[in-house]
Amino acid sequence: MTRSLHLVTTLAGFVVLSILSAHPALAQTGFDQAFGGMPALTVSDNNNGTATYSLSLQILMLMTALTVLPSLVLGMTSFTRIIIVLSILRQALGTQQTPPNQVLIAIAMFLTFFIMAPTFTMIYDQSISLYLDGKMDALTALQTASLHLKAFMIENTRINDLSMFSEMAGDEPYATNNDVPFSVLLPAYITSELKTAFQIGFLLFLPFLVIDMVIASTLMSLGMMMLSPMLVSLPFKLLLFVLVDGWAMTVSSLVATYSVPV
């Protein structure tokens, strides 16, 4: 988990670093105007065409990357689908706040790291490690890492959603997956994730809905109008969920819904 979090954080830092690497002169001018040429925030041009950033500026870019990290986790990984399905499952069981939100988020995070592990490993081996060893510049490393992340997102995005957003953007059909811009892929991916999550949630809700209907009909036929059907059906739903090993089935089904590009 620690390694995966480090990979995601470093990838987020590439976004800020690549912008400054692409236009070092513009970055230098902007910081000089904003901070009056403060020594703590400087960008120095090297003879080989690269730029050297001061320690304070590197810390500033790291903090900026950390603010982007939650959006990356929510919108570019499997986290959205998993947390929605788990929330619907909790509502279907009728257990109110059990498991609590913190536990559901923790489960979703662990499953996200598990599903994204092959993609994170490829990003680390083919871009981050080379950048840290000085064998690849930041912009090239960012482009290489984005290709792996884009391949995962396209593999798990519905074609109809991708076509809808490409038409809204006025783009022609893309020749390859690498031609799909993130401005089109990101909304298409998150829309596809929402649709899939609600479909899975609907299938999970059905058996518990049947139990609620049977319990409600039984209580009504016995004349027990004052007894809450939800209260009576809760132990039966928990018993059913435990007997079929519901957590293992739910987790395995969620992991199986994702395709990892080779």
Side-chain angles (χ1 to χ4, degrees):
M1 175 182 174
T2 304
R3 183 184 179 186
S4 300
L5 183 60
H6 171 69
L7 297 182
V8 177
T9 306
T10 308
L11 179 61
F14 279 159
V15 177
V16 179
L17 186 59
S18 62
I19 295 176
L20 296 178
S21 299
H23 302 285
L26 180 60
Q28 177 67 47
T29 303
F31 278 106
D32 287 343
Q33 294 177 353
F35 300 99
M38 293 175 58
L41 300 174
T42 58
V43 181
S44 303
D45 294 330
N46 300 327
N47 297 329
N48 56 0
T50 60
T52 302
Y53 305 95
S54 62
L55 179 60
S56 301
L57 187 54
Q58 295 178 23
I59 296 176
L60 177 62
M61 290 188 292
L62 177 61
M63 299 303 296
T64 304
L66 290 177
T67 60
V68 182
L69 181 59
S71 299
L72 295 179
V73 173
L74 290 175
M76 303 177 70
T77 63
S78 57
F79 182 85
T80 301
R81 181 189 304 185
I82 296 173
I83 193 63
I84 290 177
V85 171
L86 294 180
S87 299
I88 294 177
L89 175 61
R90 182 177 64 180
Q91 186 175 359
L93 285 171
T95 55
Q96 302 300 325
Q97 294 298 320
T98 304
N101 292 331
Q102 293 85 346
V103 175
L104 292 185
I105 293 176
I107 296 173
M109 287 293 295
F110 295 149
L111 290 179
T112 299
F113 288 138
F114 178 80
I115 294 172
M116 301 295 297
T119 303
F120 288 160
T121 301
M122 288 189 296
I123 292 176
Y124 182 82
D125 294 338
Q126 301 181 21
S127 60
I128 295 179
S129 61
L130 298 178
Y131 168 74
L132 296 178
D133 294 338
K135 299 178 181 179
M136 183 180 295
D137 60 273
L139 186 57
T140 305
L142 175 64
Q143 293 174 347
T144 304
S146 64
L147 292 179
H148 295 297
L149 191 59
K150 183 182 294 186
F152 172 83
M153 296 173 65
I154 293 178
E155 187 73 19
N156 296 280
T157 302
R158 299 174 184 271
I159 299 178
N160 294 335
D161 295 330
L162 190 59
S163 301
M164 177 185 67
F165 281 97
S166 62
E167 292 176 359
M168 293 171 60
D171 295 341
E172 299 292 333
Y174 305 107
T176 62
N177 292 340
N178 295 337
D179 297 332
V180 181
F182 274 106
S183 60
V184 173
L185 180 57
L186 287 175
Y189 176 76
I190 198 69
T191 302
S192 178
E193 288 289 282
L194 290 173
K195 182 176 181 180
T196 304
F198 277 95
Q199 288 178 342
I200 298 174
F202 171 76
L203 296 177
L204 287 175
F205 219 107
L206 285 180
F208 301 110
L209 179 61
V210 172
I211 294 178
D212 286 334
M213 294 177 63
V214 171
I215 296 297
S217 301
T218 303
L219 293 177
M220 185 175 296
S221 63
L222 295 176
M224 299 180 180
M225 303 297 183
M226 302 301 294
L227 188 59
S228 173
M230 295 293 296
L231 182 62
V232 178
S233 63
L234 178 58
F236 291 98
K237 290 190 289 187
L238 292 177
L239 178 62
L240 173 65
F241 194 69
V242 171
L243 289 177
V244 300
D245 198 5
W247 285 113
M249 292 181 59
T250 303
V251 169
S252 60
S253 299
L254 279 172
V255 174
T257 55
Y258 281 94
S259 301
V260 179
V262 181

